[in-house]
Amino acid sequence: MHPKVVWRILISAVLMSATSWSGSIAAECLRYDDVVSLTGRLVRQTYPGPPDYESVTKGDEPLIIWILQFDRGICVAGLDSSYPSAYSEREIQLVLGADQYARTDPYAQYRHLLGKTITVTGRLQPGGARYEKRFVLAAHEIKGARP
């Protein structure tokens, strides 16, 4: 076979592989408003609240949120520039019911799962101004700890 023909075949094969590889990455990304099931460790984080939103130790109300932490980063595909994208996101804020902070009854029934690996099914939403994190999972179902 002529060297130019071999070279063209090789370049074509590389380009086709790269195209299918990037397509598979996009296919694996989570999309906003999709119902997804994610597995990770349930932890809580504390942020300063009113009156100054600066320091819990200086008298601001502690606002506790629940986070699902992942061993490996996840991909989130933004719809447009107003929705953030991420390729290696390691945590997502969980929201149960109408209250984003862990101070209501929906949170109390799952408190025993803190620190454990769980699977959460819910709708992926952008975080931003209303939430503490960039990505939020509005949970519909939480399955208990795995060994």
Side-chain angles (χ1 to χ4, degrees):
M1 206 181 270
H2 193 273
K4 283 187 176 183
V5 172
V6 172
W7 185 246
R8 286 182 183 160
I9 291 172
L10 182 59
I11 289 175
S12 296
V14 168
L15 290 174
M16 287 173 41
S17 296
T19 302
S20 65
W21 183 69
S22 65
S24 68
I25 289 175
E28 293 174 12
C29 285
L30 303 175
R31 301 198 182 282
Y32 290 105
D33 292 329
D34 282 352
V35 174
V36 297
S37 289
L38 300 172
T39 299
R41 190 166 59 99
L42 180 63
V43 298
R44 63 183 182 181
Q45 295 177 357
T46 303
Y47 290 86
D52 298 323
Y53 295 88
E54 291 178 4
S55 171
V56 172
T57 58
K58 292 183 180 177
D60 288 340
E61 175 188 349
L63 301 176
I64 299 169
I65 63 170
W66 282 10
I67 302 293
L68 191 62
Q69 289 182 335
F70 310 110
D71 291 334
R72 288 183 284 172
I74 61 170
C75 175
V76 178
L79 300 172
D80 57 40
S81 62
S82 62
Y83 290 85
S85 295
Y87 295 100
S88 189
E89 188 65 32
R90 299 291 302 255
E91 59 185 29
I92 257 181
Q93 182 175 346
L94 292 183
V95 176
L96 303 174
D99 189 2
Q100 73 187 54
Y101 299 108
R103 58 184 170 212
T104 57
D105 288 341
Y107 290 89
Q109 66 180 318
Y110 298 110
R111 195 161 275 122
H112 68 283
L113 296 175
L114 284 166
K116 298 183 179 165
T117 299
I118 62 171
T119 299
V120 181
T121 301
R123 189 167 303 280
L124 182 64
Q125 302 173 343
R130 183 169 174 224
Y131 299 100
E132 303 300 327
K133 298 293 180 180
R134 292 187 322 151
F135 304 104
V136 173
L137 187 61
H140 302 310
E141 178 182 27
I142 297 176
K143 293 184 181 176
R146 296 182 323 169

